[in-house]
Amino acid sequence: MNTMGDVWKEVLSLCSKKVSEPIYKMWIAPLELTKFENNTFIFLIGSEFKKSIIMDQFSSVIKESFQEVMGFPVEIDILVSDAAKENGGVQEPAVKEEAKEDIKEGTAHYSFGNFIVGKSNNFAYNVSLGVADHPGTLYNPLLIYGRSGLGKTHLMCAIYNRLKEKYPDKLIIYTTGENFTNELVRGLKNQNTFAFHEKYRNVDALLVDDIQFIQRGESVQEEFFHTFNALEQAGKQIVLTSDVPPREMEVLNERLRTRFEMGILADIQPPDIDTRKAIILRKCEQLDIRLPENIVELIAQKIKNNVRQIEGTVNKISAMMTAYSNNITLEEVQRVIKDVTTDYQPIGVVVDKIIEFIAKAFGVTDNDIRSNKRHANVVLARQVTMYVINEVTNLTLQEIGSYFNQTHTTVLYGINQAKKKMDSGPQVKAVAVSAINEFQNVTN
Ligand code: ADP
Ligand code: MG
């Protein structure tokens, strides 16, 4: 969004010079740019009426300005948005709600069926299943805790999905400690916690992921405490997860801590080697790839404490296998493991790695991509590289350009070309998608 936002800023500034100020403020400034695809910039606006006026009266000014900024003609289109409608077209979409939806969408596939059970998570798995089958009675409240990447969110979403399926009419809320806190703080700020109470005290089951983020602020904790009590007294199921046991949650007030500890505590430990292998094999099955036994063994030996990293490794290997037509060496696997297990990588390193990845897939050198050679294959590799960098980092077009000695206009053109080539060439697309899979999580 950063990069598109930059273009839009320039376009807005040009438009403001071409039409009168009231026209600009009323019709052009409220447009919310959402995406660029098929050479078309797509906007959101709050009503059909506004859309038709803008398309009839101002689309040519807008298109003209885009062309000036980017150096080639583009189309524009406007979608009428519900979110924009509710607050009269003001550009403040419901970011927090959106985040919550994201969580649900991304985790819809988490189920009990695709959770590998071993000694380390056996108890947590079984009580979770108990909660999903007998909500509010057997194990209430349930607190699942364990270090990051060991399957807490997976189990919680499995509970959510199963409850939803069994009780489609019940109100089941999955949220995070962070969301919960944000919503409450917003309510407190506006001196209106009514909506908040209505929402949380009327649920049939409340699932709060990562409660360690509910720590700050006495009023938030008090509110959580009361919600917690009200639900429990009404026999509603509560499930919580945390990355530390309650006694180690430093900022927690005593009342809440005691409250948390009164429920069923189920910890998840790092998986043993057999469980790790089973997880790797299941993941391969999902990705439809086959890994030689020595590679499975190597991953299982090296990554002991984090299933997310195991999955990340298998994802990357799968991406590389697609890009390099299944040829992958043990050394490469070793490097992937190293990358995945060292958390943070400076952005320059990520860019270098993307260049290296694409160069290898296209059979050119890293330097070819950085140069301004015009050989068709090199140009294509460079454009795909720009596209991938734009997808997986927050760099602006200008910043991306700086790695190639190019202007932001050229970068935008390159990205656009890459998209076209991807649409018409499945191999190009496969390389880009593999690269995105491999690098998308390394920069955050
Ligand atoms: P946490 O919430 O504890 O940080 P997650 O539930 O997000 O961890 O798990 C990280 C990733 O590992 C998820 O993609 C999840 O599906 C996977 N995972 C964790 N444990 C298992 C398991 N026992 N079987 C299968 N996948 C697992
Ligand atoms: Mg989690």
Side-chain angles (χ1 to χ4, degrees):
M1 199 59 198
N2 248 346
T3 55
M4 239 182 13
D6 288 347
V7 173
W8 181 226
K9 242 189 247 163
E10 284 186 49
V11 171
L12 276 176
S13 132
L14 284 177
C15 289
S16 71
K17 289 172 196 145
K18 293 177 183 168
V19 298
S20 72
E21 197 188 322
I23 296 267
Y24 171 77
K25 279 198 174 153
M26 180 147 181
W27 302 109
I28 300 181
L31 280 169
E32 190 186 339
L33 181 54
T34 61
K35 58 180 164 188
F36 180 61
E37 60 184 20
N38 297 327
N39 205 41
T40 306
F41 280 99
I42 298 170
F43 295 90
L44 280 184
I45 195 82
S47 79
E48 205 60 60
F49 167 67
K50 284 186 181 169
K51 171 182 169 174
S52 70
I53 304 260
I54 298 167
M55 287 311 262
D56 287 343
Q57 306 291 325
F58 308 112
S59 62
S60 53
V61 173
I62 298 171
K63 282 202 275 189
E64 194 185 290
S65 307
F66 267 119
Q67 181 160 2
E68 282 179 57
V69 173
M70 307 212 305
F72 57 88
V74 299
E75 291 304 315
I76 67 164
D77 197 5
I78 300 178
L79 302 175
V80 178
S81 96
D82 288 333
K85 240 186 250 167
E86 277 164 18
N87 43 31
V90 179
Q91 290 183 35
E92 205 205 348
V95 178
K96 293 92 195 172
E97 295 302 320
E98 225 170 62
K100 198 162 46 194
E101 285 307 316
D102 273 349
I103 290 161
K104 256 187 245 161
E105 253 173 47
T107 50
H109 58 282
Y110 288 158
S111 68
F112 287 106
N114 59 23
F115 190 83
I116 306 281
V117 187
K119 260 193 278 176
S120 60
N121 54 30
N122 192 15
F123 181 67
Y125 174 87
N126 281 308
V127 289
S128 298
L129 203 54
V131 162
D133 286 337
H134 309 280
T137 52
L138 268 185
Y139 309 114
N140 197 23
L142 167 63
L143 170 61
I144 304 169
Y145 70 92
R147 290 215 301 259
S148 174
L150 293 182
K152 301 182 296 296
T153 297
H154 187 132
L155 279 181
M156 182 175 258
C157 291
I159 296 175
Y160 176 90
N161 291 330
R162 191 154 170 139
L163 284 176
K164 269 282 175 213
E165 195 186 301
K166 286 179 68 169
Y167 308 98
D169 299 331
K170 299 273 185 198
L171 182 56
I172 299 148
I173 291 192
Y174 169 98
T175 187
T176 62
E178 199 177 1
N179 260 324
F180 183 91
T181 305
N182 286 341
E183 278 180 56
L184 178 59
V185 167
R186 225 181 318 149
L188 290 170
K189 228 191 235 162
N190 302 333
Q191 302 192 327
N192 179 6
T193 47
F194 181 74
F196 181 87
H197 287 152
E198 279 294 290
K199 178 170 172 186
Y200 284 105
R201 298 212 184 156
N202 288 313
V203 303
D204 293 296
L206 176 62
L207 283 50
V208 187
D209 204 1
D210 290 321
I211 54 163
Q212 68 272 15
F213 294 119
I214 304 190
Q215 296 176 359
R216 51 195 151 118
E218 196 64 18
S219 50
V220 175
Q221 297 203 0
E222 276 303 299
E223 194 59 53
F224 194 69
F225 181 79
H226 290 305
T227 308
F228 197 97
N229 282 344
L231 289 177
E232 206 195 3
Q233 271 164 22
K236 309 297 169 123
Q237 179 70 47
I238 299 166
V239 184
L240 311 166
T241 73
S242 166
D243 65 2
V244 286
R247 77 189 113 82
E248 283 171 30
M249 289 172 67
E250 283 163 13
V251 210
L252 217 56
N253 74 23
E254 200 48 45
R255 243 171 19 138
L256 202 53
R257 187 199 317 267
T258 315
R259 208 68 199 72
F260 285 159
E261 283 178 343
M262 279 164 61
I264 301 287
L265 297 180
D267 71 325
I268 306 185
Q269 295 292 327
D272 56 37
I273 179 111
D274 290 333
T275 311
R276 302 202 292 275
K277 280 189 198 160
I279 289 170
I280 296 166
L281 292 175
R282 170 65 60 88
K283 189 74 199 167
C284 289
E285 215 177 280
Q286 283 167 357
L287 293 167
D288 204 13
I289 56 167
R290 201 163 295 160
L291 288 182
E293 220 177 293
N294 59 346
I295 290 186
V296 174
E297 184 74 33
L298 180 66
I299 303 169
Q301 289 290 354
K302 292 270 173 174
I303 310 182
K304 299 198 173 94
N305 296 318
N306 191 323
V307 180
R308 188 177 293 115
Q309 291 182 345
I310 294 179
E311 286 194 330
T313 302
V314 180
N315 276 336
K316 285 189 179 196
I317 291 170
S318 160
M320 289 164 81
M321 286 169 71
T322 315
Y324 312 149
S325 33
N326 285 338
N327 293 323
I328 184 147
T329 64
L330 215 52
E331 287 71 42
E332 280 167 330
V333 173
Q334 240 146 3
R335 226 185 51 215
V336 171
I337 292 173
K338 210 162 164 197
D339 285 352
V340 171
T341 47
T342 49
D343 279 331
Y344 173 77
Q345 303 181 44
I347 197 74
V349 174
V350 175
V351 169
D352 286 350
K353 286 189 177 159
I354 294 175
I355 292 175
E356 192 187 330
F357 184 102
I358 304 284
K360 192 170 172 207
F362 277 86
V364 301
T365 68
D366 297 11
N367 282 336
D368 286 340
I369 290 189
R370 288 199 183 83
S371 74
N372 41 30
K373 278 188 197 161
R374 304 298 307 160
H375 190 280
N377 197 33
V378 174
V379 171
L380 180 58
R382 189 180 303 126
Q383 289 169 338
V384 172
T385 307
M386 290 173 173
Y387 170 80
V388 171
I389 295 174
N390 189 48
E391 288 292 309
V392 302
T393 72
N394 287 323
L395 294 174
T396 63
L397 294 178
Q398 204 168 9
E399 286 163 344
I400 295 175
S402 70
Y403 289 95
F404 304 90
N405 259 328
Q406 303 284 1
T407 64
H408 72 284
T409 319
T410 312
V411 174
L412 190 56
Y413 177 77
I415 291 171
N416 203 26
Q417 288 299 105
K419 282 184 189 161
K420 275 193 195 147
K421 303 269 169 54
M422 283 164 58
D423 284 342
S424 56
Q427 284 108 332
V428 179
K429 185 158 185 169
V431 170
V433 170
S434 314
I436 290 169
N437 279 340
E438 162 142 10
F439 295 105
Q440 66 188 347
N441 294 321
V442 297
T443 58
N444 298 323

